[in-house]
Amino acid sequence: MPKRGRSLVGAAVGSGIVARAAEQGGADFILAINAVRLRSMGAASIACMLPMHDAAQLTLEFANSEILPMTRLPVYVGVNPWNMTKTPAELAETILEAGFEGAVNFPTAMHYSRGYRRVLDQAGLGPRAEISLLRAV
């Protein structure tokens, strides 16, 4: 908990070396999200928002193998319900057993228009599914 009047600083990272640099630079916590990883791989920024792959699995893999071993800071992992092969409870267990502090909903359906969010919700991939996942974590 920060002292009164002090903000917390989080660093969004996609690799272990950047996590270490963020820690050395004074960050308070790390956000491991697919956007930074995909950008470092040369993908356009919008690629992180497309429901075309299992973003949770991609992020868990690199964050677990590269970020957790490189920092002593709390690490929050970006997950979403797209193409999930696990229930929210199973994914929550995986996240916490790996040593993550918690999760954030990234990428999120909230960046889409109301109509597109409705379509995602009907497919079980929208805000309701995200909320269910975050509650489980």
Side-chain angles (χ1 to χ4, degrees):
M1 194 71 166
K3 294 179 182 175
R4 189 176 187 107
R6 182 181 180 278
S7 298
L8 290 175
V9 175
V13 304
S15 68
I17 193 75
V18 177
R20 180 173 282 171
E23 182 176 343
Q24 291 173 350
D28 296 299
F29 63 92
I30 299 293
L31 293 171
I33 59 175
N34 77 331
V36 184
R37 181 60 164 214
L38 291 172
R39 287 182 194 136
S40 69
M41 295 167 61
S45 294
I46 192 64
C48 74
M49 294 302 303
L50 300 174
M52 62 185 181
H53 64 88
D54 188 344
Q57 189 59 39
L58 169 83
T59 307
L60 283 167
E61 286 173 6
F62 81 78
N64 195 21
S65 66
E66 294 181 34
I67 295 174
L68 286 177
M70 296 293 279
T71 183
R72 294 180 308 269
L73 295 176
V75 178
Y76 294 86
V77 63
V79 294
N80 69 9
W82 299 341
N83 196 23
M84 281 184 39
T85 57
K86 296 181 177 186
T87 68
E90 290 169 336
L91 185 55
E93 187 175 327
T94 298
I95 289 167
L96 299 175
E97 283 180 357
F100 294 102
E101 189 71 21
V104 297
N105 59 322
F106 192 88
T108 176
M110 297 311 292
H111 290 116
Y112 294 112
S113 69
R114 185 176 298 150
Y116 194 70
R117 284 194 310 266
R118 190 171 25 254
V119 170
L120 286 172
D121 248 346
Q122 290 169 351
L125 305 174
R128 287 186 186 122
E130 290 178 6
I131 291 167
S132 176
L133 177 56
L134 291 176
R135 278 190 179 136
V137 175

